[in-house]
Amino acid sequence: MQASTVNQQGASSRAGRAMFRGESRKRPVAFHGQVLLIENLKERRHLMCDMLAHERFEVGVVEDAREAIQLLAGELLSGQRQVPELILCNARMLGDAGLAALERLCASNPDVPVILYSPFTNPRLREQIARIPGAWFMDHSARLEDLRSTVVSLASSRQTSV
């Protein structure tokens, strides 16, 4: 009895190590919805999802920076996935590569509004954000209500212009 337990544990341990070393643990990015929310902080993500759902937006969420960059620079830019009607993003989460990918995506899709927000900014981050065509930026002084009204106004202006 003891030997079989050890064998089962050893086998599962080896399988776990093999998965860790060689196999990809990457989940496919699944964006479905008219608003793409890119946010890694759990509480803020839940608040924003609730706010967007209350306004009857379908929301797709990406909570990992690498997945967000893959989605922005690869799948959305190449046309593999439909570009959302609005992108709402934590600017600091993306880093240099993500902001550059967002800049390219916005340049090729100027009709898609992008709202970047960050509770903490520095001159370098503000400079990077300024290079993103048509992006709106909300800094640390913005409240959730300000964000909500901006989302609603951009979404409704896009609907009337399309």
Side-chain angles (χ1 to χ4, degrees), residues 34 36 83-88 102 106 109-116 133-136 150-151 153-158:
Q34 61 198 42
L36 171 59
V83 178
E85 292 181 23
L86 184 125
I87 299 172
L88 185 57
L102 190 58
C106 288
N109 296 280
D111 57 327
V112 176
V114 174
I115 301 172
L116 293 159
W136 293 73
T150 304
V151 167
S153 117
L154 287 173
S156 65
S157 69
R158 186 170 192 278

Side-chain angles (χ1 to χ4, degrees), residues 18-65:
M19 278 187 69
F20 182 74
R21 273 189 248 139
E23 296 179 24
S24 173
R25 298 181 328 188
K26 197 171 199 176
R27 297 175 284 146
V29 176
F31 166 68
H32 303 289
Q34 61 198 42
V35 175
L36 171 59
L37 173 62
I38 301 173
E39 175 58 69
N40 61 339
L41 298 175
K42 186 178 182 179
E43 288 181 22
R44 189 178 310 156
R45 188 173 56 245
H46 287 299
L47 276 172
M48 291 185 169
C49 282
D50 288 347
M51 179 255 313
L52 292 165
H54 182 73
E55 294 297 328
R56 301 198 172 168
F57 288 105
E58 293 177 40
V59 182
V61 177
V62 177
E63 55 191 68
D64 178 75

